[in-house]
Amino acid sequence: MLVRGLARGLAPVALFAVFTLVMTWPQVKGLGTDATDHQDVYFNMWRFGWTAHALATAPARVLDANIFYPERRTLTFSDAMPVESIVAAPMLWAGVPPVLVHNLMLLAGIALSGAGMFVLARRLTGSTASGLTAGVVFAFAPYRFEHYMHMELQWTVWTPWAFWALHRTFETGSRRAGALVGLFIALQFMSSIYYGVFLATLLGLVGVLLLMTRRGDDLKQRVLALAIGGGLCLVTVLPYGWQYAITKKNIGGRPEEQVIMFSAKPSSYAVATPTNLLYGERAKGRGRAERRLFPGLLPVFLAVTGLLLRRPCREAVAFLGGLVAAFEMSLGMYGFTYPLLYRHVPLFEGLRAPARFGIYVVFFLALLAAYGHATLEQTLFPDRESPWRRRLTGLLAGLICACLMLEYWVAPLPLVPYPNAAPPLYAWLARQPRGVTAELPLAPFHQLPGDDPRYAYLSTFHWMPSINGYSGYYPSSYLERVHTLESFPDAAATSVLKRAAVEYVIVHLSGYHPDEGGSVLYGLATNPAYTRLGDFDDGRGPAVVYRLH
């Protein structure tokens, strides 16, 4: 019985793992070597590598990562992803190649999100086929491929379980279920700060809508259970969130013009990703990053079918309210609610991209599509005693699933190779005495981040502190250096490097025009503050290392 129960519990995970490998083709062919061509892939691998390194060497200093030296709490300049990083750490300690670890974690986020949605929708509708439909919509909507490089934005793993626990709380009034609501919100927050904030906001709204249908003792019992969950969530998240509050106080929130740039518009929901097979050609030249939020036509049809043909249940009505709220909040500064949240709720002041509420539009749409699928089953095949019903409902489920996958298909997913081993330069650095590094040239301000994401990842092979860095925020000390180091190696640039206690200056000649590179090398050769340590291959071309006295 135990084995059978375990197999039944793992079946959705296995199914959506297979679906994920199919929908991300040819990722499985380059699972250990290739990923999408984006600087955030380097950033993901650096975050995993730093956390694993810090946990094994100095856990109390885990937030003081080795970028942007000598700044502190540099891991909190972006989402630290503690849940994903803790899961990935044992693999890195065991010597699993970092690119393979990255891809396994990325695909796991997608597959587990789909499997969780399957379980939730099946419980709500009583239909396995409807759960399959909801899981496919949530796991593979174009939003996923728009953010394929963003590890934390694939980890919506805990959202379906938070709503599953909410449903259990309203079913039973169980305090344990209420506590699980809080636990899953906390896990979502520590997997993705964006989604944790969004989930708490929208689940709170849906919870209120459901509470409005309860009365008397029934209501009190459920409010108490949810209060226990809220307390557990707060206690779990507060120590982590407090570090971000300190960082925000030092660096400041997101400027309003940046939030406007990453706010959706109603037209964003008509634009798919350019790589989408059916709709990508129409999407080229339309929309910008973060503003391609097309959820597909079939899920909308199914959701409308469920709302029109089915007797409305309180859960479906509450989810419709959640969808409307998520859509309106995704409009950011173009909407009504988000400007109020941005100006009066400190958590929202630190978020750059309201358009990411779009994944919750997909979430609620997937649930409503599940109700629509169940309604179609009941309408087309009302005779539950018919020997043909099971075959016909299976055929309908297969047809809907195939149509959804076709609508979401990316053909093929574009991938490039990433290094799993240290190029000679970084292997040499790993054998040197510890010292602060500076890798030049830095990109001009208007061309950031340049090669800094790659430098950060390659630092995982030597773990020297570095004045370079890449994250969601740039500290003012880094931006000042960017301006001054444009004239490297003159006296002003040298003075900036000395004040930062830099010992190893790495000149990547591939980053300079040949004439400019020659001029830099001549300036270094005639400056007694620099001693040439050697010439190396940095994985892309020649690099020269100097010691700054």
Side-chain angles (χ1 to χ4, degrees), residues 228-517:
I228 291 171
L232 176 62
C233 177
L234 192 62
V235 169
T236 306
V237 165
L238 193 59
Y240 176 61
W242 186 251
Q243 301 302 317
Y244 281 87
I246 296 172
T247 296
K248 179 176 172 290
K249 182 179 178 181
N250 295 333
I251 294 180
R254 298 291 187 179
E256 190 168 327
E257 58 271 17
Q258 196 175 83
V259 179
I260 292 172
M261 187 185 304
F262 293 103
S263 296
K265 297 180 178 180
S267 59
S268 302
Y269 287 90
V271 183
T273 50
T275 52
N276 182 274
L277 179 65
L278 295 183
Y279 310 112
E281 202 60 42
R282 291 177 59 248
K284 289 179 180 176
R286 298 179 61 203
R288 56 166 297 150
E290 307 273 1
R291 287 185 181 174
R292 294 185 279 256
L293 302 171
F294 179 64
L297 295 177
L298 183 53
V300 174
F301 167 77
L302 290 171
V304 171
T305 298
L307 291 170
L308 294 180
L309 299 184
R310 183 188 183 96
R311 176 186 295 177
C313 65
R314 56 191 172 202
E315 286 85 6
V317 172
F319 296 149
L320 178 60
L323 187 151
V324 172
F327 171 80
E328 199 277 331
M329 290 183 194
S330 75
L331 303 181
M333 293 306 184
Y334 299 118
F336 298 102
T337 308
Y338 200 89
L340 295 174
L341 295 171
Y342 173 78
R343 294 183 182 111
H344 301 292
V345 182
L347 277 173
F348 284 87
E349 191 184 3
L351 303 180
R352 178 178 57 181
R356 293 176 181 177
F357 264 109
I359 191 62
Y360 284 94
V361 174
V362 171
F363 173 79
F364 289 117
L365 180 64
L367 287 175
L368 294 175
Y371 283 113
H373 187 138
T375 300
L376 279 181
E377 278 188 354
Q378 295 164 12
T379 303
L380 296 176
F381 316 115
D383 184 4
R384 291 183 174 274
E385 303 301 322
S386 170
W388 292 94
R389 189 177 190 277
R390 185 171 181 178
R391 294 182 183 180
L392 292 173
T393 54
L395 183 62
L396 176 66
L399 179 62
I400 289 175
C401 183
C403 289
L404 284 170
M405 287 185 162
L406 176 62
E407 196 170 18
Y408 293 156
W409 187 260
V410 172
L413 197 67
L415 305 170
V416 297
Y418 286 82
N420 271 314
L425 164 64
Y426 299 97
W428 175 83
L429 269 177
R431 300 191 296 270
Q432 305 311 303
R434 182 179 173 82
V436 180
T437 66
E439 305 201 44
L440 301 169
L442 296 180
F445 180 80
H446 64 282
Q447 294 179 3
L448 289 175
D451 283 328
D452 275 355
R454 183 173 182 270
Y455 299 155
Y457 166 60
L458 292 174
S459 77
T460 64
F461 296 106
H462 59 76
W463 290 126
M464 301 279 196
S466 172
I467 69 165
N468 299 78
Y470 170 68
S471 195
Y473 282 98
Y474 286 109
S476 57
S477 59
Y478 174 85
L479 297 177
E480 290 166 6
R481 290 189 195 118
V482 165
H483 175 70
T484 307
L485 290 174
E486 286 181 1
S487 58
F488 176 79
D490 69 0
T494 299
S495 177
V496 164
L497 295 176
K498 286 183 176 181
R499 286 200 301 271
V502 169
E503 182 170 353
Y504 300 102
V505 178
I506 303 164
V507 179
H508 297 272
L509 295 178
S510 59
Y512 291 98
H513 185 276
D515 293 339
E516 187 182 11

Side-chain angles (χ1 to χ4, degrees), residues 15-359:
L15 177 63
F16 276 90
V18 172
F19 282 175
T20 300
L21 294 180
V22 171
M23 294 298 290
T24 59
W25 182 265
Q27 181 67 84
V28 66
K29 291 177 65 178
L31 200 59
T33 55
D34 297 351
T36 192
D37 187 9
H38 197 277
Q39 66 263 15
D40 279 348
V41 173
Y42 287 123
F43 187 47
N44 296 337
M45 293 191 289
W46 170 78
R47 283 182 286 180
F48 284 160
W50 169 258
T51 302
H53 170 74
L55 290 178
T57 57
R61 301 296 300 274
V62 66
L63 297 180
D64 296 325
N66 70 321
I67 58 172
F68 298 132
Y69 184 85
E71 297 285 343
R72 295 201 57 202
R73 293 187 181 85
T74 49
L75 196 61
T76 64
F77 289 2
S78 189
D79 199 318
M81 308 188 306
V83 170
E84 296 95 311
S85 297
I86 289 170
V87 173
M91 290 187 279
L92 293 173
W93 294 335
V96 178
V99 180
L100 178 57
V101 172
H102 172 274
N103 288 334
L104 290 174
M105 294 300 297
L106 185 77
L107 298 181
I110 299 173
L112 292 174
S113 296
M117 177 58 94
F118 168 85
V119 173
L120 171 63
R122 181 178 61 182
R123 181 171 188 84
L124 290 169
T125 64
S127 165
T128 298
S130 298
L132 185 64
T133 292
V136 170
V137 173
F138 190 49
F140 307 118
Y143 179 97
R144 294 282 181 183
F145 299 102
E146 175 74 1
H147 293 284
Y148 193 68
M149 73 293 294
H150 295 140
M151 177 69 68
E152 65 271 31
L153 297 188
Q154 300 300 338
W155 270 71
T156 48
V157 173
W158 314 107
T159 290
W161 291 105
F163 279 90
W164 175 88
L166 181 70
H167 181 65
R168 286 283 297 163
T169 303
F170 281 102
E171 261 189 341
T172 65
S174 163
R175 296 180 184 183
R176 180 182 178 187
L180 285 175
V181 173
L183 175 62
F184 289 133
I185 294 174
L187 286 169
Q188 188 61 78
F189 189 90
M190 290 188 287
S191 298
S192 168
I193 293 174
Y194 268 95
Y195 292 164
V197 174
F198 294 170
L199 173 60
T201 304
L202 293 168
L203 187 138
L205 172 65
V206 171
V208 168
L209 292 175
L210 291 174
L211 283 171
M212 290 168 63
T213 66
R214 303 280 177 175
R215 293 182 181 180
D217 294 337
D218 194 39
L219 174 63
K220 291 178 182 178
Q221 188 178 9
R222 281 146 184 79
V223 169
L224 177 60
L226 292 175
I228 291 171
L232 176 62
C233 177
L234 192 62
V235 169
T236 306
V237 165
L238 193 59
Y240 176 61
W242 186 251
Q243 301 302 317
Y244 281 87
I246 296 172
T247 296
K248 179 176 172 290
K249 182 179 178 181
N250 295 333
I251 294 180
R254 298 291 187 179
E256 190 168 327
E257 58 271 17
Q258 196 175 83
V259 179
I260 292 172
M261 187 185 304
F262 293 103
S263 296
K265 297 180 178 180
S267 59
S268 302
Y269 287 90
V271 183
T273 50
T275 52
N276 182 274
L277 179 65
L278 295 183
Y279 310 112
E281 202 60 42
R282 291 177 59 248
K284 289 179 180 176
R286 298 179 61 203
R288 56 166 297 150
E290 307 273 1
R291 287 185 181 174
R292 294 185 279 256
L293 302 171
F294 179 64
L297 295 177
L298 183 53
V300 174
F301 167 77
L302 290 171
V304 171
T305 298
L307 291 170
L308 294 180
L309 299 184
R310 183 188 183 96
R311 176 186 295 177
C313 65
R314 56 191 172 202
E315 286 85 6
V317 172
F319 296 149
L320 178 60
L323 187 151
V324 172
F327 171 80
E328 199 277 331
M329 290 183 194
S330 75
L331 303 181
M333 293 306 184
Y334 299 118
F336 298 102
T337 308
Y338 200 89
L340 295 174
L341 295 171
Y342 173 78
R343 294 183 182 111
H344 301 292
V345 182
L347 277 173
F348 284 87
E349 191 184 3
L351 303 180
R352 178 178 57 181
R356 293 176 181 177
F357 264 109
I359 191 62

Side-chain angles (χ1 to χ4, degrees), residues 487-490 494 507 509 512-532 535 544 546:
S487 58
F488 176 79
D490 69 0
T494 299
V507 179
L509 295 178
Y512 291 98
H513 185 276
D515 293 339
E516 187 182 11
S519 176
V520 168
L521 294 181
Y522 177 78
L524 290 166
T526 57
N527 189 332
Y530 296 91
T531 299
R532 189 165 180 155
D535 297 36
V544 187
Y546 294 83

